[in-house]
Amino acid sequence: MSNEADTIFYDVVMLRNVTTKEAAIHSLSEYLLKKGHVNEHYEHATIEREDTYPTGLPTKPIAIAIPHSKHENVIKQSVVLGISDQLIEFSEMGNSDSKLNVGILFLLALKGENGHINYLKNIVNYCKVEENIEKLYGVKSAEEALQIFVAEIVNAD
């Protein structure tokens, strides 16, 4: 994925006092909308998709979620990492009856399924390691999180 780094926008948003998955997706989607990276349908489509196909993963010690929308809502490919100071309830991928306390979100705004699959693989591989989750969730700033995100997840090939 390193060669895609020039064509995909990466950033981090520190989520403060966000307590629902809808509010978390809203904050991250709104950030991309203001930058002109997604259209006005992206947020609603992402929340709708999350309700139908949950993206929460039971990583330890804190769960993650990887919400995304269809490619037609994407203007400029982007991946935004959201780190929340509050744990947010998401349903578990593949088991919507199971609820997870999510503190880290990766909002994907990508074109084509291959992009999603590659990112999902890198994110899941990184987040399988408990120490990685602790390090990422323990960052003090968006800049620190972005450095970890790009170096250890995006360029993980």
Side-chain angles (χ1 to χ4, degrees), residues 27-42:
S27 294
L28 298 175
S29 297
E30 186 72 15
Y31 176 77
L32 288 180
L33 181 65
K34 285 180 179 172
K35 290 198 160 294
H37 293 202
V38 297
N39 67 24
E40 67 278 4
H41 304 292
Y42 181 87

Side-chain angles (χ1 to χ4, degrees), residues 20-22 24-25 50 54-57 63-67 88-93 95-96 98-105:
T20 67
K21 70 180 178 188
E22 293 82 6
I25 292 170
E50 187 67 33
T55 64
L57 295 172
I64 68 166
I66 311 171
I88 304 164
E89 184 178 279
F90 273 74
S91 294
E92 184 176 350
M93 185 182 296
N95 181 8
S96 57
S98 175
K99 305 302 180 199
L100 302 172
N101 291 319
V102 168
I104 300 170
L105 292 88

Side-chain angles (χ1 to χ4, degrees), residues 87-124:
L87 295 179
I88 304 164
E89 184 178 279
F90 273 74
S91 294
E92 184 176 350
M93 185 182 296
N95 181 8
S96 57
D97 292 332
S98 175
K99 305 302 180 199
L100 302 172
N101 291 319
V102 168
I104 300 170
L105 292 88
F106 294 89
L107 183 74
L108 307 182
L110 300 170
K111 297 181 180 183
E113 283 304 307
N114 287 342
H116 285 92
I117 291 167
N118 290 336
Y119 273 92
L120 287 170
K121 177 184 64 116
N122 279 21
I123 290 166
V124 168

